[in-house]
Amino acid sequence: MRTQVGIIGAGPAGLLLSHLLARVGIDSVVLEARSRDYVERRVRAGVLEHPTVELLREVGLAERLDREGMPHEGISLRFDGGDHRIDFADLVGRGITVYGQQEVVKDLIAARLRDGGDLRFEVSDVTIDGLADAPVIGFTDADGQRQELRCDAVAGCDGFHGISRGTFEPQMFDREYPYAWLGILAKAAPTQHELAYANHPRGFALYSMRSPEITRLYLQVPPDTDAGTWSDAQIWDELGVRLAADGFTLNEGPLIEKSITGMRSFVAEPMRHGRLFLAGDAAHIVPPTGAKGMNLAIADVRVLAEALTGYLRHGDESGVDAYSDTCLRRVWRAEHFSWWMTSMLHVSPEPDPFARRLQLSQLHYTVTSRAAATSLAENYVGLPHGENR
């Protein structure tokens, strides 16, 4: 079997890369270990940066997003019993859109299948060889048959636990945080239309939503927490305490999902090895506080699609040679922002009055200084694509 680009992973990064390449006449095959049903139902991120939305519109993937997505022009920071709105529209003239990652994946799969894309689900035993000059991806297909895919380049879009990064030895930078998120998806209509980030003495909480009927909420918990030890009533009670603010009501409803999300920062450098190019979680992880994970993956593949187009269509290697450095500038900017948001909003598991006062001082400065609020807004809504600084 032969194609130009072998793509490992059918998440947002791999699927969007396949779509972008197809638009310029470059063939690809997407290999995915999970079933189509699994990847379309897997609930992950829900915040799309402004540049992400603009890209999806530019390449014809935003019809349902524009119809069902929930535009937000700001967020709230809650602390010391007060609610403080960061007005993105006023500060930077653009906002974000809440639209679940699984919905983006559904749209991408539908578009690739409509356009004749080659997507292969439920593959196993994936191997990568010949990265210096003639890549070969070996895999067992859904029918149990062993296959070889020969290609000009390989895109490793297979996540943190995928096989792509393990084919070489990048330098790895890693930080684990002493807390996690207990997250719930609830069949309960949102009672406000923007996200609220709460710093409470008992821990962080986040109020968000996925649709006009579904809310997504999180509580800071110890990293070894078993979600099953929290009853639904305990979760709602704790959310009510941590998210409390004048005029705010919490609409409760049956839980659709309950899970624990660990918190870590991770970067692998470089993001390229021979003809293998890492993208998304295969190369970097951010704590979810800054809402950067999916958006970074999409920024990666925009750069990668342009680089591969230059290389495969015109023999120009300048883009592929610069790929890692170009992406890492944006990655480290997002890592810093996500670390800053996480550090400012989460409560240390060990009593530390000095650290607590520093947090409150930073929060007060952020909501009272236009310069500080503008910096938060600029980073949260997303640096324009091309500004990998």
Side-chain angles (χ1 to χ4, degrees), residues 16-28 112 115 117:
L16 180 59
L17 177 61
S18 180
H19 181 82
L20 295 175
L21 293 174
R23 284 169 55 85
V24 294
I26 295 174
D27 295 331
S28 67
R112 293 306 300 125
D115 297 339

Side-chain angles (χ1 to χ4, degrees), residues 116-179:
D118 193 339
L119 310 181
R120 305 193 178 208
F121 295 97
E122 299 182 78
V123 307
S124 58
D125 302 320
V126 179
T127 59
I128 309 173
D129 296 296
L131 289 173
D133 54 6
V136 178
I137 304 173
F139 66 96
T140 300
D141 65 22
D143 295 324
Q145 299 298 309
R146 193 65 186 167
Q147 306 284 354
E148 281 192 349
L149 176 64
R150 300 182 181 275
C151 44
D152 299 306
V154 177
C157 305
D158 49 347
F160 181 78
H161 298 290
I163 64 108
S164 297
R165 190 178 63 251
T167 59
F168 68 112
E169 297 182 358
Q171 185 176 9
M172 292 183 281
F173 303 86
D174 198 4
R175 170 168 293 182
E176 293 192 16
Y177 296 84
Y179 27 74

Side-chain angles (χ1 to χ4, degrees), residues 73-135:
E73 295 186 338
I75 60 171
S76 291
L77 299 181
R78 291 184 184 170
F79 58 96
D80 270 358
D83 184 84
H84 309 268
R85 186 168 183 265
I86 305 295
D87 190 333
F88 295 159
D90 173 58
L91 294 165
V92 295
R94 54 192 189 276
I96 52 112
T97 300
V98 171
Y99 187 68
Q101 177 173 316
Q102 72 275 16
E103 305 306 324
V104 175
V105 167
K106 290 175 188 175
D107 295 343
L108 284 163
I109 289 175
R112 293 306 300 125
L113 295 178
R114 177 199 67 205
D115 297 339
D118 193 339
L119 310 181
R120 305 193 178 208
F121 295 97
E122 299 182 78
V123 307
S124 58
D125 302 320
V126 179
T127 59
I128 309 173
D129 296 296
L131 289 173
D133 54 6

Side-chain angles (χ1 to χ4, degrees), residues 134-346:
V136 178
I137 304 173
F139 66 96
T140 300
D141 65 22
D143 295 324
Q145 299 298 309
R146 193 65 186 167
Q147 306 284 354
E148 281 192 349
L149 176 64
R150 300 182 181 275
C151 44
D152 299 306
V154 177
C157 305
D158 49 347
F160 181 78
H161 298 290
I163 64 108
S164 297
R165 190 178 63 251
T167 59
F168 68 112
E169 297 182 358
Q171 185 176 9
M172 292 183 281
F173 303 86
D174 198 4
R175 170 168 293 182
E176 293 192 16
Y177 296 84
Y179 27 74
W181 282 5
L182 169 60
I184 63 167
L185 201 63
K187 191 172 183 181
T191 55
Q192 67 176 48
H193 72 284
E194 292 179 343
L195 280 68
Y197 289 78
N199 175 303
H200 187 275
R202 288 164 61 158
F204 167 81
L206 172 61
Y207 183 93
S208 66
M209 62 290 297
R210 288 294 178 269
S211 76
E213 297 81 30
I214 302 295
T215 47
R216 182 71 160 159
L217 304 109
Y218 298 94
L219 289 168
Q220 176 188 337
V221 295
D224 59 353
T225 297
D226 177 355
T229 63
W230 282 71
S231 70
D232 294 3
Q234 286 176 309
I235 292 172
W236 287 117
D237 288 346
E238 191 66 18
L239 285 166
V241 170
R242 297 190 196 182
L243 290 168
D246 287 345
F248 175 75
T249 58
L250 185 61
N251 192 20
E252 299 183 11
L255 302 194
I256 302 170
E257 180 188 277
K258 181 164 52 174
S259 61
I260 299 293
T261 300
M263 307 282 282
R264 76 185 310 159
S265 298
F266 171 83
V267 180
E269 296 187 1
M271 292 170 57
R272 177 197 179 187
H273 175 66
R275 296 195 183 184
L276 169 67
F277 303 86
L278 302 181
D281 288 359
H284 42 74
I285 297 287
V286 290
T289 325
K292 293 291 167 221
M294 176 171 57
N295 295 290
L296 270 183
I298 286 174
D300 286 348
V301 297
R302 180 167 191 163
V303 175
L304 183 54
E306 292 174 357
L308 290 174
T309 298
Y311 173 53
L312 296 174
R313 294 290 301 275
H314 310 294
D316 179 1
E317 296 189 28
S318 60
V320 293
D321 288 342
Y323 169 71
S324 181
D325 288 342
T326 299
C327 289
L328 285 169
R329 286 193 291 273
R330 177 184 290 268
V331 166
W332 279 110
R333 175 65 253 166
E335 290 283 357
H336 177 266
F337 176 70
S338 300
W339 164 84
W340 175 75
M341 286 281 285
T342 301
S343 301
M344 180 173 65
L345 289 163
H346 290 74

